[in-house]
Amino acid sequence: MATDVTVPTLGESITEATLGQWLKKPGDPIKADEPIASLETDKVALEVPSPVAGVMGDQLVAEGATVEVGAVIARIEAAAGAPAKENAGGPPASTPVNPKGAGENVEPRTDEAPADEAPAEADEGASLTLSPAVRRAVLEHHVDPSKIKGTGKDGRLTKDDVLAAAKAQQDGAPSAPATQAPAQGAQSPAPAAGPSPAASQGERREERVRMTRLRQTIASRLKEAQNTAAILTTFNDVDMSAVMEARARYKDLFEKKHGIRLGFMGFFVKAAALAARDVPSVNASIDGDEIVYHDYLDVSVAVSAPNGLVVPVVRDADRMSFAEIEKKIADFGKRAKDGSLTMDDMKGGTFTISNGGVFGSLLSTPIINPPQSAVLGMHRIEERPVVQGGQIVARPMMYLALSYDHRLIDGREAVTFLVRMKEALEDPTRLLIDL
């Protein structure tokens, strides 16, 4: 008897999603609650678990198709069915799972793999469940996922794990997965030279890839912000000497006591909370012909994920300690890479901080995240000559950019907000005594 697998509830006001990828093939053995498919919604990617243990049956929806909440997308056959019992007495190589991640639906064959190699690989590969981003990285870099130790939740592979394994594979002696090039590279005399075969020199190629639902939503919301809000950006620079000195002095004690590294984001979130008290319009929003002021600061922190930029929310950030802020942001970053952020993590937000400096950005004009009215852009720290006391000295400087909705926030208020942040960051004692 087959059990239907339906699209779960996706969150408030979300009624449909895109089936990103099937994580199991027909005939694959499945455990209860094991992910069998990934869905992409407007905000996050999530996995659909199997309601029962058994064998993967019919897949009723193709990858890339739009599905509604409650729709039946697959069926799970009873574990006692033929696909599960045929291999009971044979070698595990008959399991129809491709541990190399080659992306091909290979039919089970019990007469091809050597008996001394197949059992270990099949058992190890059968337990692997790869997210879409990880599976794509495996295919691109030709690595064996069964030989990579996962650092994600429950030991699952992340994209960084695959990239690290690929780099190690390139630095060392070529291994079997790396040198077994696909058919199109068979004519290349030097497979290790790179992913592009020599025969493709001079060719002009194009590739069309359908935008993910998340990317479509990002594009739509950013364009909506430009069309709706009167966006303007103001800048200031900050001498980061005091913050860097405080981090260097207390980082070991901080990590020993709280179990988390003392980063820059804690300082910036606290400084933003302090500045928002003096300039409350930066933390407000427009609703029709009314202005909504918030007596709390929920900071949306822009985090890079495999499928695009996501903005999980640090709630009540103005009431949190440095350690609580750092732990929350570190957790968001890890879960963004694993693809385990939830819809609740994304809801709300009254102000956004985007740190382009981690990618090397010197200056930018960030776009606000509706219905918010302002976004702070952080950038890289670099030594620049500044004049202090009549002397030209080198100081670690960072440019700050505040993009804001000019319908609500005047230029004077935007400049005042950045000045308050600059004062707090250049003299962190202000953060402690609330000045």
Side-chain angles (χ1 to χ4, degrees), residues 13-64:
S13 75
I14 298 180
T15 59
E16 62 180 22
T18 299
L19 198 147
Q21 188 171 19
W22 287 108
L23 305 179
K24 293 291 184 180
K25 306 186 189 78
D28 285 358
I30 297 173
K31 301 176 183 178
D33 296 325
E34 185 176 9
I36 64 169
S38 66
L39 297 178
E40 296 175 353
T41 70
D42 291 350
K43 294 185 177 180
V44 295
L46 57 124
E47 295 173 336
V48 180
S50 172
V52 296
V55 177
M56 187 70 185
D58 296 333
Q59 296 175 345
L60 306 180
V61 178
E63 292 181 354

Tab-separated table of all heavy atoms in Angstrom, residues 13-64:
chain	number	residue	atom	x	y	z
A	13	SER	N	0.680	33.153	4.620
A	13	SER	CA	0.407	33.795	3.325
A	13	SER	C	1.133	33.154	2.148
A	13	SER	O	1.039	33.632	1.029
A	13	SER	CB	0.746	35.292	3.377
A	13	SER	OG	2.150	35.510	3.339
A	14	ILE	N	1.847	32.055	2.366
A	14	ILE	CA	2.542	31.382	1.263
A	14	ILE	C	1.751	30.142	0.872
A	14	ILE	O	1.542	29.243	1.687
A	14	ILE	CB	3.983	31.000	1.659
A	14	ILE	CG1	4.784	32.262	1.972
A	14	ILE	CG2	4.661	30.219	0.557
A	14	ILE	CD1	6.203	32.010	2.375
A	15	THR	N	1.289	30.104	-0.371
A	15	THR	CA	0.407	29.022	-0.812
A	15	THR	C	1.041	28.095	-1.830
A	15	THR	O	0.490	27.037	-2.126
A	15	THR	CB	-0.879	29.611	-1.428
A	15	THR	OG1	-0.532	30.445	-2.547
A	15	THR	CG2	-1.627	30.450	-0.407
A	16	GLU	N	2.188	28.457	-2.370
A	16	GLU	CA	2.812	27.609	-3.380
A	16	GLU	C	4.322	27.720	-3.311
A	16	GLU	O	4.874	28.631	-2.701
A	16	GLU	CB	2.310	27.977	-4.784
A	16	GLU	CG	2.651	29.399	-5.205
A	16	GLU	CD	2.134	29.731	-6.583
A	16	GLU	OE1	1.186	29.049	-7.051
A	16	GLU	OE2	2.668	30.660	-7.220
A	17	ALA	N	4.983	26.763	-3.954
A	17	ALA	CA	6.437	26.723	-3.980
A	17	ALA	C	6.876	26.062	-5.276
A	17	ALA	O	6.060	25.557	-6.048
A	17	ALA	CB	6.985	25.958	-2.767
A	18	THR	N	8.169	26.060	-5.509
A	18	THR	CA	8.743	25.388	-6.673
A	18	THR	C	9.485	24.146	-6.206
A	18	THR	O	10.248	24.202	-5.242
A	18	THR	CB	9.720	26.317	-7.408
A	18	THR	OG1	9.022	27.470	-7.862
A	18	THR	CG2	10.342	25.608	-8.609
A	19	LEU	N	9.247	23.018	-6.880
A	19	LEU	CA	9.985	21.804	-6.535
A	19	LEU	C	11.396	21.943	-7.113
A	19	LEU	O	11.599	21.872	-8.314
A	19	LEU	CB	9.294	20.561	-7.098
A	19	LEU	CG	9.750	19.253	-6.421
A	19	LEU	CD1	8.615	18.255	-6.351
A	19	LEU	CD2	10.933	18.641	-7.153
A	20	GLY	N	12.343	22.192	-6.213
A	20	GLY	CA	13.712	22.452	-6.652
A	20	GLY	C	14.435	21.222	-7.155
A	20	GLY	O	15.026	21.224	-8.229
A	21	GLN	N	14.362	20.124	-6.384
A	21	GLN	CA	15.101	18.919	-6.768
A	21	GLN	C	14.596	17.714	-5.989
A	21	GLN	O	14.231	17.822	-4.816
A	21	GLN	CB	16.596	19.112	-6.500
A	21	GLN	CG	17.463	17.982	-7.051
A	21	GLN	CD	18.941	18.320	-6.959
A	21	GLN	OE1	19.335	19.193	-6.196
A	21	GLN	NE2	19.758	17.653	-7.722
A	22	TRP	N	14.563	16.592	-6.672
A	22	TRP	CA	14.282	15.319	-5.997
A	22	TRP	C	15.567	14.821	-5.357
A	22	TRP	O	16.604	14.755	-6.020
A	22	TRP	CB	13.756	14.282	-6.985
A	22	TRP	CG	12.344	14.537	-7.427
A	22	TRP	CD1	11.921	14.978	-8.635
A	22	TRP	CD2	11.160	14.342	-6.633
A	22	TRP	NE1	10.561	15.108	-8.656
A	22	TRP	CE2	10.056	14.711	-7.439
A	22	TRP	CE3	10.924	13.910	-5.334
A	22	TRP	CZ2	8.744	14.658	-6.985
A	22	TRP	CZ3	9.621	13.863	-4.872
A	22	TRP	CH2	8.545	14.221	-5.693
A	23	LEU	N	15.509	14.496	-4.079
A	23	LEU	CA	16.678	13.998	-3.361
A	23	LEU	C	16.733	12.478	-3.333
A	23	LEU	O	17.741	11.900	-2.926
A	23	LEU	CB	16.670	14.536	-1.916
A	23	LEU	CG	16.580	16.065	-1.788
A	23	LEU	CD1	16.557	16.470	-0.322
A	23	LEU	CD2	17.733	16.736	-2.512
A	24	LYS	N	15.645	11.836	-3.762
A	24	LYS	CA	15.594	10.392	-3.847
A	24	LYS	C	15.041	9.983	-5.207
A	24	LYS	O	14.256	10.708	-5.821
A	24	LYS	CB	14.698	9.799	-2.742
A	24	LYS	CG	15.239	9.974	-1.332
A	24	LYS	CD	16.476	9.129	-1.108
A	24	LYS	CE	16.953	9.241	0.345
A	24	LYS	NZ	18.165	8.408	0.587
A	25	LYS	N	15.464	8.812	-5.679
A	25	LYS	CA	14.994	8.281	-6.958
A	25	LYS	C	14.008	7.155	-6.705
A	25	LYS	O	14.043	6.518	-5.647
A	25	LYS	CB	16.167	7.752	-7.787
A	25	LYS	CG	17.295	8.726	-8.010
A	25	LYS	CD	18.305	8.120	-8.957
A	25	LYS	CE	19.563	8.983	-9.036
A	25	LYS	NZ	20.443	8.796	-7.891
A	26	PRO	N	13.141	6.856	-7.668
A	26	PRO	CA	12.236	5.707	-7.518
A	26	PRO	C	13.023	4.430	-7.236
A	26	PRO	O	14.002	4.120	-7.921
A	26	PRO	CB	11.524	5.641	-8.872
A	26	PRO	CG	11.550	7.053	-9.368
A	26	PRO	CD	12.865	7.604	-8.912
A	27	GLY	N	12.608	3.706	-6.210
A	27	GLY	CA	13.290	2.481	-5.820
A	27	GLY	C	14.251	2.651	-4.667
A	27	GLY	O	14.695	1.670	-4.081
A	28	ASP	N	14.585	3.898	-4.316
A	28	ASP	CA	15.508	4.132	-3.198
A	28	ASP	C	14.836	3.799	-1.862
A	28	ASP	O	13.673	4.167	-1.644
A	28	ASP	CB	15.948	5.592	-3.156
A	28	ASP	CG	16.952	5.931	-4.242
A	28	ASP	OD1	17.313	5.012	-4.988
A	28	ASP	OD2	17.354	7.102	-4.333
A	29	PRO	N	15.531	3.125	-0.966
A	29	PRO	CA	14.992	2.893	0.380
A	29	PRO	C	14.952	4.210	1.146
A	29	PRO	O	15.849	5.045	1.024
A	29	PRO	CB	15.987	1.912	1.007
A	29	PRO	CG	17.261	2.135	0.268
A	29	PRO	CD	16.873	2.509	-1.127
A	30	ILE	N	13.921	4.411	1.946
A	30	ILE	CA	13.726	5.676	2.651
A	30	ILE	C	13.342	5.406	4.099
A	30	ILE	O	12.542	4.509	4.384
A	30	ILE	CB	12.618	6.511	1.972
A	30	ILE	CG1	13.031	6.870	0.545
A	30	ILE	CG2	12.313	7.768	2.764
A	30	ILE	CD1	11.940	7.549	-0.240
A	31	LYS	N	13.922	6.189	4.989
A	31	LYS	CA	13.561	6.129	6.396
A	31	LYS	C	12.474	7.158	6.690
A	31	LYS	O	12.308	8.132	5.956
A	31	LYS	CB	14.786	6.411	7.275
A	31	LYS	CG	15.947	5.447	7.071
A	31	LYS	CD	17.137	5.880	7.907
A	31	LYS	CE	18.334	4.978	7.669
A	31	LYS	NZ	19.518	5.423	8.447
A	32	ALA	N	11.749	6.950	7.761
A	32	ALA	CA	10.735	7.912	8.170
A	32	ALA	C	11.398	9.245	8.487
A	32	ALA	O	12.466	9.296	9.112
A	32	ALA	CB	9.973	7.400	9.388
A	33	ASP	N	10.798	10.338	8.017
A	33	ASP	CA	11.276	11.710	8.215
A	33	ASP	C	12.534	12.022	7.422
A	33	ASP	O	13.119	13.095	7.594
A	33	ASP	CB	11.532	12.007	9.700
A	33	ASP	CG	10.258	11.940	10.527
A	33	ASP	OD1	9.203	12.323	9.998
A	33	ASP	OD2	10.318	11.495	11.691
A	34	GLU	N	12.961	11.139	6.537
A	34	GLU	CA	14.129	11.423	5.701
A	34	GLU	C	13.707	12.313	4.531
A	34	GLU	O	12.691	12.062	3.886
A	34	GLU	CB	14.735	10.127	5.175
A	34	GLU	CG	16.027	10.332	4.398
A	34	GLU	CD	16.660	9.017	3.972
A	34	GLU	OE1	16.020	7.960	4.136
A	34	GLU	OE2	17.792	9.051	3.451
A	35	PRO	N	14.459	13.383	4.219
A	35	PRO	CA	14.080	14.280	3.127
A	35	PRO	C	14.091	13.552	1.777
A	35	PRO	O	15.024	12.808	1.479
A	35	PRO	CB	15.147	15.376	3.169
A	35	PRO	CG	15.717	15.313	4.546
A	35	PRO	CD	15.661	13.868	4.939
A	36	ILE	N	13.052	13.796	0.996
A	36	ILE	CA	12.986	13.179	-0.337
A	36	ILE	C	12.984	14.227	-1.448
A	36	ILE	O	13.235	13.897	-2.616
A	36	ILE	CB	11.736	12.294	-0.479
A	36	ILE	CG1	10.463	13.144	-0.377
A	36	ILE	CG2	11.740	11.177	0.554
A	36	ILE	CD1	9.205	12.386	-0.768
A	37	ALA	N	12.694	15.484	-1.125
A	37	ALA	CA	12.665	16.540	-2.132
A	37	ALA	C	12.920	17.880	-1.464
A	37	ALA	O	12.730	18.032	-0.257
A	37	ALA	CB	11.320	16.557	-2.857
A	38	SER	N	13.380	18.840	-2.256
A	38	SER	CA	13.580	20.205	-1.747
A	38	SER	C	12.602	21.141	-2.441
A	38	SER	O	12.352	21.022	-3.641
A	38	SER	CB	15.016	20.673	-1.994
A	38	SER	OG	15.271	20.804	-3.374
A	39	LEU	N	12.049	22.058	-1.668
A	39	LEU	CA	11.127	23.066	-2.187
A	39	LEU	C	11.747	24.448	-2.033
A	39	LEU	O	12.472	24.705	-1.069
A	39	LEU	CB	9.793	23.023	-1.432
A	39	LEU	CG	8.965	21.750	-1.531
A	39	LEU	CD1	7.719	21.890	-0.667
A	39	LEU	CD2	8.572	21.455	-2.974
A	40	GLU	N	11.469	25.314	-2.981
A	40	GLU	CA	11.928	26.699	-2.909
A	40	GLU	C	10.711	27.605	-2.813
A	40	GLU	O	9.844	27.576	-3.682
A	40	GLU	CB	12.760	27.069	-4.139
A	40	GLU	CG	14.048	26.276	-4.264
A	40	GLU	CD	14.786	26.568	-5.555
A	40	GLU	OE1	14.213	27.298	-6.398
A	40	GLU	OE2	15.900	26.071	-5.727
A	41	THR	N	10.658	28.395	-1.745
A	41	THR	CA	9.571	29.351	-1.573
A	41	THR	C	10.098	30.748	-1.862
A	41	THR	O	11.233	30.918	-2.300
A	41	THR	CB	9.005	29.293	-0.146
A	41	THR	OG1	9.985	29.820	0.762
A	41	THR	CG2	8.691	27.857	0.255
A	42	ASP	N	9.259	31.737	-1.603
A	42	ASP	CA	9.670	33.110	-1.848
A	42	ASP	C	10.842	33.538	-0.983
A	42	ASP	O	11.544	34.482	-1.325
A	42	ASP	CB	8.494	34.067	-1.578
A	42	ASP	CG	7.401	33.906	-2.626
A	42	ASP	OD1	7.652	33.211	-3.621
A	42	ASP	OD2	6.310	34.460	-2.421
A	43	LYS	N	11.040	32.877	0.168
A	43	LYS	CA	12.070	33.332	1.096
A	43	LYS	C	13.130	32.290	1.411
A	43	LYS	O	14.299	32.630	1.579
A	43	LYS	CB	11.418	33.797	2.405
A	43	LYS	CG	10.557	35.042	2.243
A	43	LYS	CD	10.043	35.521	3.588
A	43	LYS	CE	9.245	36.811	3.455
A	43	LYS	NZ	8.750	37.286	4.756
A	44	VAL	N	12.751	31.027	1.538
A	44	VAL	CA	13.714	30.012	1.951
A	44	VAL	C	13.542	28.750	1.129
A	44	VAL	O	12.541	28.557	0.450
A	44	VAL	CB	13.553	29.652	3.450
A	44	VAL	CG1	13.876	30.835	4.325
A	44	VAL	CG2	12.149	29.150	3.730
A	45	ALA	N	14.553	27.900	1.201
A	45	ALA	CA	14.465	26.557	0.654
A	45	ALA	C	14.239	25.598	1.815
A	45	ALA	O	14.833	25.747	2.877
A	45	ALA	CB	15.756	26.197	-0.091
A	46	LEU	N	13.345	24.641	1.636
A	46	LEU	CA	13.087	23.676	2.692
A	46	LEU	C	12.912	22.294	2.095
A	46	LEU	O	12.710	22.141	0.883
A	46	LEU	CB	11.838	24.067	3.489
A	46	LEU	CG	10.545	24.221	2.687
A	46	LEU	CD1	9.486	23.314	3.264
A	46	LEU	CD2	10.065	25.652	2.736
A	47	GLU	N	13.029	21.291	2.946
A	47	GLU	CA	12.977	19.905	2.491
A	47	GLU	C	11.666	19.256	2.889
A	47	GLU	O	11.086	19.594	3.928
A	47	GLU	CB	14.161	19.125	3.072
A	47	GLU	CG	15.512	19.612	2.558
A	47	GLU	CD	16.682	18.958	3.262
A	47	GLU	OE1	16.479	18.494	4.405
A	47	GLU	OE2	17.772	18.902	2.675
A	48	VAL	N	11.205	18.332	2.041
A	48	VAL	CA	9.972	17.603	2.310
A	48	VAL	C	10.352	16.232	2.858
A	48	VAL	O	10.999	15.443	2.168
A	48	VAL	CB	9.131	17.431	1.033
A	48	VAL	CG1	7.855	16.664	1.340
A	48	VAL	CG2	8.809	18.784	0.429
A	49	PRO	N	9.988	15.909	4.103
A	49	PRO	CA	10.343	14.606	4.675
A	49	PRO	C	9.327	13.535	4.299
A	49	PRO	O	8.163	13.828	4.009
A	49	PRO	CB	10.312	14.887	6.181
A	49	PRO	CG	9.260	15.945	6.328
A	49	PRO	CD	9.328	16.789	5.094
A	50	SER	N	9.787	12.293	4.322
A	50	SER	CA	8.886	11.171	4.076
A	50	SER	C	8.066	10.895	5.340
A	50	SER	O	8.624	10.812	6.431
A	50	SER	CB	9.681	9.924	3.699
A	50	SER	OG	8.837	8.790	3.626
A	51	PRO	N	6.753	10.753	5.214
A	51	PRO	CA	5.938	10.497	6.415
A	51	PRO	C	6.127	9.106	6.988
A	51	PRO	O	5.811	8.863	8.152
A	51	PRO	CB	4.502	10.697	5.902
A	51	PRO	CG	4.577	10.416	4.444
A	51	PRO	CD	5.926	10.874	3.996
A	52	VAL	N	6.617	8.165	6.167
A	52	VAL	CA	6.792	6.781	6.617
A	52	VAL	C	8.089	6.214	6.062
A	52	VAL	O	8.692	6.776	5.151
A	52	VAL	CB	5.608	5.888	6.146
A	52	VAL	CG1	4.306	6.328	6.779
A	52	VAL	CG2	5.512	5.899	4.624
A	53	ALA	N	8.508	5.097	6.592
A	53	ALA	CA	9.648	4.364	6.040
A	53	ALA	C	9.143	3.475	4.909
A	53	ALA	O	8.020	2.987	4.943
A	53	ALA	CB	10.317	3.527	7.122
A	54	GLY	N	9.974	3.269	3.911
A	54	GLY	CA	9.573	2.417	2.792
A	54	GLY	C	10.508	2.575	1.628
A	54	GLY	O	11.728	2.732	1.803
A	55	VAL	N	9.945	2.547	0.430
A	55	VAL	CA	10.711	2.645	-0.806
A	55	VAL	C	10.101	3.752	-1.656
A	55	VAL	O	8.880	3.862	-1.766
A	55	VAL	CB	10.691	1.313	-1.576
A	55	VAL	CG1	11.421	1.441	-2.908
A	55	VAL	CG2	11.322	0.209	-0.741
A	56	MET	N	10.952	4.581	-2.236
A	56	MET	CA	10.474	5.677	-3.075
A	56	MET	C	9.692	5.133	-4.256
A	56	MET	O	10.188	4.295	-5.011
A	56	MET	CB	11.656	6.515	-3.573
A	56	MET	CG	11.254	7.771	-4.309
A	56	MET	SD	10.532	8.986	-3.212
A	56	MET	CE	10.050	10.234	-4.402
A	57	GLY	N	8.454	5.597	-4.404
A	57	GLY	CA	7.609	5.168	-5.505
A	57	GLY	C	7.544	6.208	-6.597
A	57	GLY	O	8.563	6.781	-6.997
A	58	ASP	N	6.334	6.502	-7.087
A	58	ASP	CA	6.159	7.430	-8.197
A	58	ASP	C	6.451	8.857	-7.772
A	58	ASP	O	6.063	9.304	-6.693
A	58	ASP	CB	4.722	7.356	-8.729
A	58	ASP	CG	4.404	5.989	-9.320
A	58	ASP	OD1	5.348	5.315	-9.777
A	58	ASP	OD2	3.220	5.602	-9.306
A	59	GLN	N	7.117	9.590	-8.660
A	59	GLN	CA	7.316	11.020	-8.499
A	59	GLN	C	6.313	11.707	-9.426
A	59	GLN	O	6.414	11.613	-10.650
A	59	GLN	CB	8.756	11.421	-8.845
A	59	GLN	CG	9.788	10.812	-7.912
A	59	GLN	CD	11.218	11.111	-8.334
A	59	GLN	OE1	11.457	11.544	-9.463
A	59	GLN	NE2	12.170	10.875	-7.442
A	60	LEU	N	5.353	12.392	-8.843
A	60	LEU	CA	4.222	12.916	-9.612
A	60	LEU	C	4.446	14.329	-10.132
A	60	LEU	O	3.620	14.831	-10.900
A	60	LEU	CB	2.958	12.897	-8.731
A	60	LEU	CG	2.615	11.544	-8.094
A	60	LEU	CD1	1.356	11.661	-7.252
A	60	LEU	CD2	2.443	10.475	-9.171
A	61	VAL	N	5.547	14.955	-9.736
A	61	VAL	CA	5.819	16.331	-10.150
A	61	VAL	C	7.253	16.417	-10.655
A	61	VAL	O	8.161	15.828	-10.059
A	61	VAL	CB	5.614	17.309	-8.968
A	61	VAL	CG1	5.942	18.738	-9.387
A	61	VAL	CG2	4.184	17.245	-8.451
A	62	ALA	N	7.461	17.149	-11.723
A	62	ALA	CA	8.802	17.314	-12.286
A	62	ALA	C	9.548	18.429	-11.567
A	62	ALA	O	8.938	19.347	-11.002
A	62	ALA	CB	8.705	17.631	-13.774
A	63	GLU	N	10.869	18.357	-11.583
A	63	GLU	CA	11.684	19.414	-11.001
A	63	GLU	C	11.419	20.730	-11.728
A	63	GLU	O	11.330	20.771	-12.948
A	63	GLU	CB	13.174	19.053	-11.079
A	63	GLU	CG	13.558	17.881	-10.201
A	63	GLU	CD	15.046	17.563	-10.274
A	63	GLU	OE1	15.731	18.198	-11.098
A	63	GLU	OE2	15.520	16.678	-9.532
A	64	GLY	N	11.297	21.802	-10.959
A	64	GLY	CA	11.025	23.109	-11.538
A	64	GLY	C	9.555	23.460	-11.611
A	64	GLY	O	9.198	24.598	-11.924
